[in-house]
Amino acid sequence: MVELVFTVNPGIEDIVSREAYGVFGGGVSRYSMLSGRVYYSVDGSIDYLFERILELKTINKAMLHIATLEIEPSYSFLGVLKNRLPRVLEGIVEFIGPGTSFAVTTERIGVHEYTSIDLARVIGDAVIEVVKEFYGRRPRVDLRNPSVIVHGFARENELIIGVLLSGPWSMHRRGYRVYDHPAALKSTLAVAMLYISGARDRQVIVDPMCGGGTIPIEAALLYEDAAIYGFDINPLHIRGALMNAVAAGVVEKIVFRVWDARRIHEVIREVDHMILNPPYGIRYGDPWSIRRLYREFLESAEKALRDRGRITMITTEYTYVHKVVKNTRLNIVHERIVQHGGLYPHIILLEKM
Ligand SMILES: C[S@@+](CC[C@H](N)C(=O)[O-])C[C@H]1O[C@@H](n2cnc3c(N)ncnc32)[C@H](O)[C@@H]1O
């Protein structure tokens, strides 16, 4: 059994766990919601896991779990950590020998008196000490092209240390984003929304406010044979979405068009899924026009959906959505909080009854 740790967008831990179960064909997970991490124990060689991890579409990073420690925010705690780390990092000698080049990367979320660089230095020193103690020789530090990356993920009062399996960049950064929409949705959240929606192949999937096209592009990468549409009122974004879809190699699978989502029923009907990330009032600065947009869109979407068709939306305007759908055939069947861009929007799943 190997224990992996995935760092994830807070709020989708259960979805990551289900996705991992599907990809690895088994395994046991442990997580708490909104914690931003999922521990996953699974059978298999490191080489097998290494390849399979790239199939996960909802994680940020994956590492082989070496240690989890409680940490304190004071600068003086670095001294305590320096003493404690060599003992908990003993397992690192399995991956780093005297001939292995390594680097340490760190991420830090929360308020600490020390920086990520301070943490990386303390972890790096401990790795050197442990390897030297075990093999009698120091490993080589190579920040440019290391064979092994040791990653430290500090979130509030917890530090997780592991051997990175997913490369130095977060996997939410897909290579296709040549056009960067100013309010782009994280690709991992887009995939999580597609999973939540229950969308399947051979269905009609529409993002009526698609911006740079993240949701339609992720849908096209996920499903072989769905009818996928992306609309946006702004021609600049539609052009950008097309560029992104070309870069992702899925432009033939999506129809992009400039259109006003408040009149979506005039352009498409019998829709199985509307999946969208509409503008938030807090970003717009004008709650009234945003609410009018939500109301008019939901009224039009109700007409465009087939019976039992669904809307999956991520928004900070959830209270308003609750109010508007009271007078419609749209029922809320699922709702959850996630973290996105420093805010805590809800993902709401509505079904047309
Ligand atoms: C938060 S952004 C979507 C970002 C997108 N999910 C992405 O990842 O790039 C919201 C989008 O809604 C579009 N929008 C606003 N009002 C609209 C309307 N009435 N009809 C269609 N699109 C609209 C905006 O132009 C903007 O691109």
Side-chain angles (χ1 to χ4, degrees):
M1 240 348 167
V2 178
E3 187 168 50
L4 305 172
V5 194
F6 305 127
T7 64
V8 308
N9 197 102
I12 61 167
E13 292 80 0
D14 55 334
I15 294 169
V16 169
S17 159
R18 269 202 298 280
E19 186 186 46
Y21 195 88
V23 165
F24 297 124
V28 179
S29 62
R30 118 186 119 77
Y31 59 84
S32 48
M33 289 304 289
L34 288 168
S35 66
R37 59 206 174 257
V38 173
Y39 292 87
Y40 203 84
S41 297
V42 62
D43 278 325
S45 70
I46 305 285
D47 286 347
Y48 165 80
L49 297 175
F50 193 65
E51 265 186 28
R52 277 289 150 98
I53 276 163
L54 299 179
E55 290 173 34
L56 296 170
K57 289 168 171 283
T58 54
I59 65 165
N60 292 337
K61 286 185 177 163
M63 33 181 173
L64 278 168
H65 186 214
I66 301 288
T68 297
L69 299 96
E70 251 186 53
I71 54 172
E72 289 171 23
S74 64
Y75 190 82
S76 60
F77 182 76
L78 285 180
V80 178
L81 199 58
K82 195 173 155 62
N83 288 332
R84 256 183 224 167
L85 275 178
R87 211 168 349 107
V88 297
L89 287 185
E90 275 170 356
I92 207 82
V93 296
E94 234 187 279
F95 309 99
I96 304 179
T100 321
S101 61
F102 86 102
V104 178
T105 56
T106 45
E107 273 169 278
R108 204 179 45 76
I109 299 168
V111 181
H112 307 96
E113 283 175 15
Y114 38 85
T115 63
S116 305
I117 296 171
D118 292 329
L119 266 183
R121 187 173 32 80
V122 175
I123 296 171
D125 287 348
V127 170
I128 293 172
E129 189 180 325
V130 169
V131 174
K132 194 170 164 214
E133 174 77 26
F134 193 82
Y135 294 102
R137 271 172 56 211
R138 293 165 60 103
R140 192 161 51 85
V141 176
D142 183 345
L143 301 182
R144 283 221 175 145
N145 199 15
S147 310
V148 174
I149 301 175
V150 176
H151 188 65
F153 177 69
R155 196 181 164 93
E156 312 300 347
N157 60 349
E158 192 182 73
L159 171 64
I160 304 172
I161 301 174
V163 171
L164 211 53
L165 295 179
S166 54
W169 306 113
S170 172
M171 283 172 65
H172 84 268
R173 293 198 197 185
R174 313 287 208 240
Y176 62 69
R177 234 183 225 164
V178 286
Y179 172 72
D180 215 357
H181 186 283
L185 181 66
K186 271 201 175 151
S187 56
T188 43
L189 277 179
V191 176
M193 288 173 70
L194 285 158
Y195 288 157
I196 290 169
S197 73
R200 296 188 309 270
D201 246 322
R202 286 184 285 284
Q203 288 193 315
V204 179
I205 302 170
V206 176
D207 180 348
M209 305 191 202
C210 73
T214 315
I215 295 170
I217 291 170
E218 290 297 333
L221 293 169
L222 210 54
Y223 310 115
E224 296 242 312
D225 188 22
I228 304 168
Y229 297 82
F231 300 100
D232 200 286
I233 201 163
N234 187 334
L236 194 72
H237 297 327
I238 287 296
R239 212 173 59 216
L242 274 165
M243 284 161 58
N244 287 342
V246 169
V250 293
V251 73
E252 270 122 49
K253 292 175 77 177
I254 311 169
V255 175
F256 284 113
R257 186 167 166 190
V258 177
W259 193 260
D260 187 338
R262 291 169 294 186
R263 297 191 291 113
I264 196 72
H265 68 284
E266 291 175 21
V267 75
I268 195 161
R269 292 276 179 148
E270 289 299 304
V271 172
D272 294 291
H273 290 279
M274 300 248 181
I275 305 178
L276 70 152
N277 162 218
Y280 304 159
I282 194 162
R283 292 266 155 83
Y284 231 55
D286 175 1
W288 304 114
S289 64
I290 267 299
R291 286 177 180 183
R292 197 164 56 240
L293 169 68
Y294 276 57
R295 182 170 37 76
E296 291 175 5
F297 160 67
L298 286 166
E299 283 167 6
S300 171
E302 187 189 352
K303 294 182 196 136
L305 284 175
R306 68 162 172 83
D307 281 350
R308 301 252 159 213
R310 290 173 155 193
I311 301 175
T312 310
M313 63 198 300
I314 178 166
T315 179
T316 51
E317 307 296 329
Y318 41 87
T319 321
Y320 189 65
V321 172
H322 277 251
K323 195 171 151 197
V324 171
V325 298
K326 269 195 188 130
N327 311 319
T328 67
R329 287 175 63 196
L330 300 169
N331 279 3
I332 296 175
V333 291
H334 173 87
E335 185 163 359
R336 67 171 61 213
I337 303 173
V338 295
Q339 200 186 63
H340 188 233
L343 301 171
Y344 285 89
H346 287 199
I347 294 177
I348 307 178
L349 178 62
L350 303 153
E351 190 168 275
K352 181 173 166 180
M353 296 304 173

